[in-house]
Amino acid sequence: EDQVTQSPEALRLQEGESSSLNCSYTVSGLRGLFWYRQDPGKGPEFLFTLYSAGEEKEKERLKATLTKKESFLHITAPKPEDSATYLCAVQATGGYQKVTFGIGTKLQVIP
Amino acid sequence: GAVVSQHPSWVICKSGTSVKIECRSLDFQATTMFWYRQFPKQSLMLMATSNEGSKATYEQGVEKDKFLINHASLTLSTLTVTSAHPEDSSFYICSARGHKGTPPNTGELFFGEGSRLTVL
């Protein structure tokens, strides 16, 4: 069974204090790993897709990296508007299209 | 692009009534749509997968007769919570994936804004 574990569950940063969120995964064969941002009371917003170990993607202050066992979401010089819950999800290869989500990391950036 | 619209955003109903939630892909054709349920401080739990023109595939433990899913066109799927009870109160979110060969087709899901259901 596919599993996604995210850590920490919650993270509080000062504005400008860079940090990383971790996503460890177990999947039979990885088709794709996804990062989403979710604001309270809203649906998740797509950020990145990573397909293979060594791949990196960036968007503004966010950078996602992937290894064979985990992914990191690096946040550089965060701002208060980066406060949200960040979700990691994996999709396995094979015929079934199910995507498995982690519980998320709730990030709070304090001015 | 890749916009998914969900309606209503929130709904309050009496116990025993039925509620319908709509999910539309606005700028792409979605052959597959997914319905999730999310409880506070928990991850998104997949309820069912619907493919246009065919019956939905429900996850283990999800009652087919309580959560009716219809995917009548490439841009619309509906979730009907029948005879709702307070324990059905939750945040329901739909998502869509593009049709093979057309954007967006890279595997990621695009989510609606979610629907908060409160059953009194």
Side-chain angles (χ1 to χ4, degrees), chain A residues 1-36:
Chain A
E1 184 178 334
D2 303 335
Q3 288 189 332
V4 179
T5 303
Q6 291 187 247
S7 62
E9 286 191 14
L11 181 62
R12 198 175 185 190
L13 299 173
Q14 291 289 331
E15 184 173 1
E17 180 186 0
S18 301
S19 187
S20 296
L21 312 181
N22 177 263
C23 170
S24 298
Y25 65 91
T26 304
V27 66
S28 53
L30 183 68
R31 179 178 179 183
L33 184 142
F34 314 105
W35 281 98
Y36 291 87

Side-chain angles (χ1 to χ4, degrees), chain A residues 19-21 56 61-65 71-76:
Chain A
S19 187
S20 296
L21 312 181
E56 298 181 352
R61 295 177 291 282
L62 301 177
K63 179 180 177 180
T65 61
S71 176
F72 290 94
L73 184 65
H74 306 279
I75 303 176
T76 302

Side-chain angles (χ1 to χ4, degrees), chain B residues 60-120:
Chain B
Q60 191 173 9
V62 178
E63 298 177 59
K64 301 179 183 180
D65 295 332
K66 166 165 275 298
F67 300 101
L68 300 179
I69 291 172
N70 183 277
H71 193 160
S73 76
L74 285 172
T75 60
L76 174 64
S77 176
T78 60
L79 167 68
T80 301
V81 183
T82 62
S83 186
H85 290 285
E87 58 265 30
D88 297 324
S89 298
S90 188
F91 192 51
Y92 294 88
I93 313 175
C94 73
S95 65
R97 177 179 291 145
H99 182 64
K100 186 175 181 180
T102 62
N105 183 30
T106 47
E108 58 267 22
L109 300 175
F110 295 90
F111 287 86
E113 285 293 288
S115 300
R116 171 74 59 190
L117 170 64
T118 302
V119 184
L120 302 177

Side-chain angles (χ1 to χ4, degrees), chain B residues 48-63:
Chain B
T49 302
S50 72
N51 291 296
E52 184 264 338
S54 62
K55 289 184 178 181
T57 302
Y58 290 82
E59 294 298 301
Q60 191 173 9
V62 178
E63 298 177 59

Side-chain angles (χ1 to χ4, degrees), chain A residues 31 34 36 38-46 48-49 51 85 87 91 96-104 106, chain B residues 32 34 36 38 41-44 46 49 51 57-59 91 93 97 105-114 116:
Chain A
R31 179 178 179 183
F34 314 105
Y36 291 87
Q38 187 176 23
D39 293 302
K42 300 288 186 181
E45 175 189 347
F46 171 72
F48 303 109
T49 305
Y51 295 104
T85 295
L87 301 171
Q91 184 185 16
Y96 193 46
Q97 305 174 62
K98 182 176 179 178
V99 176
T100 302
F101 283 84
I103 197 170
K106 185 174 183 179
Chain B
T32 304
F34 304 85
Y36 289 85
Q38 188 176 35
K41 298 185 179 182
Q42 293 189 23
S43 66
L44 291 164
L46 180 65
T49 302
N51 291 296
T57 302
Y58 290 82
E59 294 298 301
F91 192 51
I93 313 175
R97 177 179 291 145
N105 183 30
T106 47
E108 58 267 22
L109 300 175
F110 295 90
F111 287 86
E113 285 293 288
R116 171 74 59 190

